[in-house]
Amino acid sequence: MRTLRTVIELRTAVRAARRQDPGARVGLVPTMGALHAGHASLIDAAARTCNVVAVTVFVNPLQFSPNEDLAEYPRPFANDVTLSEAHGAHYVFHPSVEEMYGQSGAAVLTTVHVAGITDTLEGAARPGHFDGVSTVVAKLLNAAGPCRAFFGEKDYQQLQVVRQLVHDLSFPIEIVGCPIVRESDGLAMSSRNAYLSAEDRRRASALSRELFAARDRASGRAKDPRSLEEETRRALIGSGLDVDYVEVVDSLSMERAERLGPGLALAAAVRLGKTRLIDNVLLPADEIPRPPER
Ligand code: AMP
């Protein structure tokens, strides 16, 4: 396995692999590092269906606002390399901020903005976040030129944003969504879980527990979305979590849902001290929906 640090190196490596095997399928797994079993499941999925697998490890400053955890974000790069290799990656692309955005750091003149589906949830809570995500994803897809790129349903809205941008900008790439990998108590694995104190870690399990409980209550369809949100919000607060949002949304458009039914997602963001966690469940338990072919 090789670590690559420049766009040219990545392009050259992918080109060489395709020269050797013109039918080679190239898989890309974009991450911010501090890799865990959730990321590993994406690399596994890529390795199962692609001949060449590249994992990208880049803490993207463009998707953090000034009051967020960019400086503290964990960067255990040696571990990331070991995990990537163990799960079948051929390349780890680990560029510097300068390599991605030039000498002036995160100053770029061109950004990618996906409208509409970024108006709610994380888009509303973190202004500018999805422009940063969309811009770096577009750059990484251009740099690697993969056949497939793998994203987790953990960041559900992000997955739909990436699907939309690939469709709208005609990237010849298949976006593969992968299920959320959870700890034994249900907490969705996240690089940010490492920030939690033992007490907060214990409390954090309420997030998935209450989302699953809400999903069970919703499957009877006796409730309306607002009361489901309100009950879940109260349960989370009762478990000691500071709630950023709890919303039932259409699982494609990400618009607030007016009634319960198929094709919805219940998404929540909470804070424990300085740590912010997100999670989601589909209502009812369902295959992840894809945008209709256009
Ligand atoms: P991140 O490094 O947090 O930017 O995540 C990189 C990719 O891994 C994204 O597509 C995430 O959705 C995905 N991911 C992170 N945590 C999990 C998880 N627990 N299960 C599945 N995918 C995940």
Side-chain angles (χ1 to χ4, degrees):
M1 207 201 55
R2 279 176 59 203
T3 298
L4 310 172
R5 295 189 188 268
T6 66
V7 169
I8 299 266
E9 280 178 299
L10 178 61
R11 263 197 198 125
T12 306
V14 170
R15 219 174 269 152
R18 286 204 168 107
R19 240 196 327 269
Q20 245 184 20
D21 173 6
R25 200 178 266 161
V26 177
L28 190 75
V29 182
T31 81
M32 296 205 301
L35 302 183
H36 50 65
H39 299 109
S41 75
L42 270 52
I43 305 172
D44 290 339
R48 273 196 302 277
T49 59
C50 300
N51 316 82
V52 179
V53 174
V55 175
T56 76
V57 174
F58 179 61
V59 183
N60 174 34
L62 227 53
Q63 69 190 71
F64 290 75
S65 57
N67 59 341
E68 292 183 337
D69 56 344
L70 174 62
E72 301 94 67
Y73 201 84
R75 291 166 169 86
F77 183 63
N79 291 351
D80 293 345
V81 170
T82 307
L83 184 144
S84 299
E85 184 162 27
H87 287 268
H90 301 90
Y91 301 104
V92 170
F93 178 52
H94 184 48
S96 63
V97 172
E98 291 69 30
E99 173 65 15
M100 292 298 280
Y101 295 125
Q103 286 306 323
S104 50
V108 286
L109 298 182
T110 305
T111 56
V112 179
H113 175 70
V114 178
I117 56 179
T118 57
D119 288 346
T120 54
L121 308 178
E122 290 301 282
R126 303 177 67 188
H129 170 68
F130 281 122
D131 288 2
V133 170
S134 302
T135 301
V136 82
V137 168
K139 285 173 72 74
L140 292 170
L141 295 178
N142 267 332
C147 308
R148 291 185 175 165
F150 297 78
F151 292 85
E153 292 172 11
K154 155 87 176 10
D155 299 276
Y156 185 82
Q157 189 176 19
Q158 170 177 282
L159 172 59
Q160 301 302 19
V161 167
V162 170
R163 285 193 196 290
Q164 190 71 44
L165 97 81
V166 161
H167 173 270
D168 291 351
L169 298 182
S170 306
F171 281 94
I173 295 167
E174 182 190 349
I175 300 301
V176 181
C178 301
I180 301 176
V181 177
R182 297 179 179 281
E183 303 282 1
S184 56
D185 66 351
L187 178 67
M189 289 196 178
S190 164
S191 307
R192 290 188 167 100
N193 293 351
Y195 298 152
L196 297 170
S197 66
E199 171 60 16
D200 283 345
R201 170 64 190 82
R202 198 185 53 71
R203 260 191 288 196
S205 63
L207 176 55
S208 58
R209 188 176 67 237
E210 295 307 334
L211 291 181
F212 289 135
R215 184 180 67 190
D216 292 345
R217 291 200 302 281
S219 50
R221 309 242 174 113
K223 298 198 174 295
D224 68 279
R226 296 299 86 78
S227 55
L228 194 68
E229 290 167 357
E230 197 41 45
E231 287 167 9
T232 309
R233 169 186 294 276
R234 266 194 247 119
L236 292 171
I237 293 170
S239 298
L241 306 184
D242 197 356
V243 178
D244 237 10
Y245 62 75
V246 182
E247 285 183 20
V248 179
V249 294
D250 180 282
S251 55
L252 291 179
S253 70
M254 297 290 131
E255 278 170 29
R256 208 85 182 271
E258 293 308 324
R259 61 184 64 84
L260 291 182
L264 303 177
L266 172 63
V270 299
R271 289 172 198 277
L272 289 118
K274 280 166 66 182
T275 308
R276 189 169 177 281
L277 302 177
I278 60 170
D279 199 351
N280 69 84
V281 294
L282 295 178
L283 303 178
D286 211 348
E287 278 238 323
I288 190 163
R290 284 154 199 276
E293 292 296 325
R294 277 165 283 198

